[in-house]
Amino acid sequence: MFKKNSPLQSKSEIILRNIVVTFMIVFFSVFLIIPIFIAFAGSFHEWNPLSGTYNFLGFENYKNVLSSELFLKSLWNTFIFATIAIVFRIILGLGIAYAIYCPLIKWKSFFRVIFYMPVVTPIVAVAFVWKFMYNPQIGVINDIFGLDINWLLNPDTALIAVVIMTIWKDFGYAVVMFMAGLYSLPADALEAAVVDGASPWQKFYYITLPLLKPMTLFVVITSIISYIQAYVQILIMTEGGPGTQTYLTSYIIYEEAFVKYNFGYASAIAFIVFVITAGLTLISFRVSSTQK
Amino acid sequence: MNKKISGMILNLILVFLGIITVYPFVWMFLSSFKPNKEILAFNQTLFPQTFLIDNYIRMNKSFQFMDLFFNSIFITVVTTFIVVYTSTICGFVLSKYKFKGRNLLFGFVLSTMMIPWSVTIIPKYTMIQAFGWMDSYKALIIPAMFSGFGIFMMKQQIESIPDEILEATRIDGANEFYIFHKIILPLSKNGISSIAIFQFLWTWEDFLWPYLVINSQDKQLLAVGLKMFNGQYSTDYGALFAATTISIIPVILIYIIFQKQFIAGIAASAVKG
């Protein structure tokens, strides 16, 4: 594995490489590979650390998960949550990035810094800020819009309220990503379009947008991965309620594992989430490569 | 003339969106100086009518909130330093050395980023118990020492450093440890600052892991403390605003200080990746 293949390779290079590669392999084995196997095995067991049970169940956990109404509801909620959040993330991200990119805008870096700010703030704290803002007694949202809605306790608005907070927190990431994409576009293609008499709108639709496809795909995939795993905003703002209106799949895993200590059942859901994530990521890659 | 007007409209739209973006922070910050009576009042104003720092004093007195704050600073700084160092050295080895299995190893590192937290957290929790690391900072620091994301970012960054620079110093007789510390580290500033900020934020905001492995309140971190504080003093809004402000403002300050290198680093990695 560590054979010498260049005459320029020195002894110190081999030592450094061996140390680093060994540490990496040991670390990722202990804290990633082995845990994955333990979780996989655990998902076939009745596994509760409080009562000390670890009994083989076969596919029982998976059967129970897939027939659980709460789980199916949470998949639907996660789908709604992720779809709305991703659509807004892309639209706002692309729109704002293109506006800042446009030569008419001064203070480009100022806007970029502002829009990115929510992305770098801790989600536990930010979820509390929004929880207070939605509060009908002390919050500002009803004040500003002259409404009288108990956002987080009303079954019709709770999930949307959490989605709005999530969009606010995350759209800046897409702004920075699309700006990076815009500034790395080939200048000659854009100039050629202008010479050929394309209107700004045509230039955007026929040249810029297709060229930004790889970046859009990157944002979509990273968003899918992160939204399927989202649970903190639920834990802080609604705890799944009212009723089961805001149960997201990853929040059920948190609750089953660390409130009810059903480790086996929670692991089964975690693996289902894992498979869904991997599947969606593959599909996104497929879609993009067939369209090229 | 037409262009001027559309430019103005565009600027106004961006300013409006910018206000929406910062408004929650401003509201939280200003509310943290209001007396509870004013927070609960029917007619609310953005700026405090009476300006108090009582909320901060009360928040700390009843809960030793500042102790948690310094615990979080300690853990965050230590973890961030370790992750920056390991990411840079792994990125260096993976980008500048040629050896069998290198691409396989890098592909593996990439795939670690796709694994949901929910798959590994239960076994990690049982392992920490088995190792006897519960309620100790080992449990927070050691499982966080390497970051797949950090290694990926640094590999991208260091690849852009020309090989000629390294060869020149090698011919001068420098060993690899010298090259790494004196050449690679200083030349990867952008990547390092973006990883540092991300790692700082992730450690600072991580809720579940410290909640699971740390039991004593005096060792607990801020994100968990904020949740516990909310549970115990759920009606003392002034103190809650003060506690939330303390959890957010340091991160924003760090972000504002380093934003230039940070945005350059994160954008560069995405365009190349």
Side-chain angles (χ1 to χ4, degrees), chain A residues 12-13 16 24 27 30 32-33 35 39 112-113 116 118 120 122-123 128 133 138 140 168 229 231 235 258 263, chain B residues 21 27 90 97 108 112 116-117 119 122-123 127 142-143 176 201 205 207-208 212 230 237 251 255 259 262:
Chain A
S12 66
E13 174 172 341
L16 179 66
M24 257 164 95
F27 178 87
V30 172
L32 211 76
I33 305 292
R112 197 170 58 170
V113 170
Y116 204 69
V120 298
I123 184 155
F128 274 123
M133 291 208 302
I138 63 163
V140 287
W168 171 84
Q229 301 188 51
Y231 75 98
L235 175 69
F258 301 115
F263 279 9
Chain B
T21 311
W27 178 71
C90 292
Y97 291 176
F108 169 71
T112 63
W117 60 267
V119 172
I122 295 170
M127 278 162 66
I142 294 175
E176 297 299 315
L201 169 68
E205 77 172 358
F207 167 79
L208 189 50
L212 293 176
N230 265 272
Y237 290 111
V251 188
Y255 165 65
Q259 46 88 12
F262 170 62

Side-chain angles (χ1 to χ4, degrees), chain B residues 53-153:
Chain B
I53 55 160
D54 285 24
N55 292 331
Y56 286 86
I57 297 165
R58 211 166 55 247
M59 160 226 16
N60 194 39
K61 217 176 180 176
S62 54
F63 204 72
Q64 277 81 48
F65 206 80
M66 290 318 280
D67 291 356
L68 306 185
F69 178 82
F70 288 111
N71 290 344
S72 270
I73 295 262
F74 173 75
I75 290 293
T76 308
V77 168
V78 170
T79 312
T80 304
F81 264 101
I82 295 175
V83 167
V84 162
Y85 190 82
T86 60
S87 301
T88 318
I89 204 159
C90 292
F92 173 51
V93 168
L94 285 173
S95 65
K96 291 299 179 192
Y97 291 176
K98 291 185 181 68
F99 54 94
K100 255 194 188 165
R102 181 181 77 163
N103 291 337
L104 190 72
L105 190 60
F106 182 60
F108 169 71
V109 169
L110 277 185
S111 64
T112 63
M113 287 193 275
M114 245 191 57
I115 295 164
W117 60 267
S118 47
V119 172
T120 54
I121 196 156
I122 295 170
K124 263 165 49 186
Y125 173 66
T126 55
M127 278 162 66
I128 294 299
Q129 284 181 318
F131 295 164
W133 291 355
M134 287 297 279
D135 209 24
S136 106
Y137 283 167
K138 271 187 276 186
L140 295 179
I141 294 170
I142 294 175
M145 284 190 350
F146 286 76
S147 144
F149 172 78
I151 296 171
F152 164 71
M153 290 272 292

Side-chain angles (χ1 to χ4, degrees), chain B residues 9-234:
Chain B
I9 293 171
L10 213 52
N11 269 304
L12 279 178
I13 294 175
L14 285 183
V15 168
F16 175 71
L17 288 170
I19 291 172
I20 295 179
T21 311
V22 293
Y23 190 85
F25 297 126
V26 175
W27 178 71
M28 167 202 69
F29 182 72
L30 292 173
S31 298
S32 72
F33 298 104
K34 291 177 186 168
N36 271 326
K37 208 169 64 200
E38 208 179 301
I39 292 170
L40 288 163
F42 190 71
N43 285 316
Q44 301 211 5
T45 49
L46 181 57
F47 287 91
Q49 304 291 308
T50 32
F51 190 91
L52 297 169
I53 55 160
D54 285 24
N55 292 331
Y56 286 86
I57 297 165
R58 211 166 55 247
M59 160 226 16
N60 194 39
K61 217 176 180 176
S62 54
F63 204 72
Q64 277 81 48
F65 206 80
M66 290 318 280
D67 291 356
L68 306 185
F69 178 82
F70 288 111
N71 290 344
S72 270
I73 295 262
F74 173 75
I75 290 293
T76 308
V77 168
V78 170
T79 312
T80 304
F81 264 101
I82 295 175
V83 167
V84 162
Y85 190 82
T86 60
S87 301
T88 318
I89 204 159
C90 292
F92 173 51
V93 168
L94 285 173
S95 65
K96 291 299 179 192
Y97 291 176
K98 291 185 181 68
F99 54 94
K100 255 194 188 165
R102 181 181 77 163
N103 291 337
L104 190 72
L105 190 60
F106 182 60
F108 169 71
V109 169
L110 277 185
S111 64
T112 63
M113 287 193 275
M114 245 191 57
I115 295 164
W117 60 267
S118 47
V119 172
T120 54
I121 196 156
I122 295 170
K124 263 165 49 186
Y125 173 66
T126 55
M127 278 162 66
I128 294 299
Q129 284 181 318
F131 295 164
W133 291 355
M134 287 297 279
D135 209 24
S136 106
Y137 283 167
K138 271 187 276 186
L140 295 179
I141 294 170
I142 294 175
M145 284 190 350
F146 286 76
S147 144
F149 172 78
I151 296 171
F152 164 71
M153 290 272 292
M154 288 321 291
K155 182 187 180 268
Q156 305 294 98
Q157 280 280 313
I158 294 171
E159 244 160 22
S160 65
I161 298 175
D163 284 337
E164 291 75 29
I165 300 181
L166 307 185
E167 289 309 330
T169 33
R170 277 182 191 136
I171 288 164
D172 290 345
N175 73 30
E176 297 299 315
F177 295 89
Y178 179 89
I179 291 177
F180 174 70
H181 290 107
K182 296 289 172 181
I183 298 186
I184 298 293
L185 273 181
L187 283 178
S188 349
K189 264 192 212 133
N190 278 349
I192 287 179
S193 29
S194 47
I195 295 181
I197 291 175
F198 268 118
Q199 192 59 48
F200 186 94
L201 169 68
W202 287 336
T203 317
W204 187 265
E205 77 172 358
D206 189 17
F207 167 79
L208 189 50
W209 189 244
Y211 167 74
L212 293 176
V213 297
I214 300 296
N215 304 325
S216 352
Q217 201 192 316
D218 59 319
K219 286 187 192 164
Q220 198 47 274
L221 305 191
L222 198 63
V224 183
L226 189 60
K227 172 98 168 75
M228 287 170 13
F229 190 66
N230 265 272
Q232 284 174 32
Y233 299 87
S234 59

Side-chain angles (χ1 to χ4, degrees), chain A residues 137-188:
Chain A
Q137 209 179 356
I138 63 163
V140 287
I141 289 183
N142 281 346
D143 273 359
I144 291 175
F145 297 103
L147 296 169
D148 184 22
I149 299 174
N150 199 338
W151 290 88
L152 296 173
L153 290 177
N154 183 333
D156 296 328
T157 54
L159 188 61
I160 291 300
V162 177
V163 171
I164 292 173
M165 174 262 159
T166 308
I167 294 169
W168 171 84
K169 171 117 173 61
D170 290 341
F171 79 97
Y173 167 81
V175 172
V176 167
M177 286 302 166
F178 281 119
M179 280 182 75
L182 285 167
Y183 280 105
S184 65
L185 291 182
D188 44 346

